[in-house]
Amino acid sequence: MSLESLAQMPLHDGPAAQAMFARVQAYACACGLVLRPPPAEPTTCCGRGCNGCVWEGFFAAAVFWREDALEALRAQGRV
């Protein structure tokens, strides 16, 4: 798996985010790099589709985590 394919993995639901976290962490481990833990899934969603839902914050944090992880991999010369 390439860094670009990791960067393009979808983040449309919790299982997709967890799959992305696992693949990025496995790639980093294979490169000898330890990443900070990914964000935890929210546990307080009421399911009513609120404006500013906790899932929106989670997905924003997941995107930031992935960008940070890919930046760390690129800095290590793992392009």
Side-chain angles (χ1 to χ4, degrees):
M1 183 165 271
S2 70
L3 288 180
E4 286 308 311
S5 63
L6 294 172
Q8 299 303 318
M9 287 187 72
L11 291 172
H12 50 76
D13 60 18
Q18 294 303 323
M20 183 275 294
F21 294 148
R23 289 197 177 148
V24 172
Q25 287 178 315
Y27 189 99
C29 184
C31 294
L33 186 63
V34 177
L35 302 172
R36 65 182 172 86
E41 284 190 13
T43 58
T44 58
C45 180
C46 65
R48 291 183 281 169
C50 302
N51 185 21
C53 177
V54 294
W55 283 99
E56 292 175 19
F58 169 74
F59 290 123
V63 168
F64 178 79
W65 182 89
R66 175 170 54 189
E67 290 170 356
D68 190 49
L70 295 176
E71 184 178 315
L73 286 162
R74 287 184 184 108
Q76 292 291 320
R78 310 297 186 188
V79 178

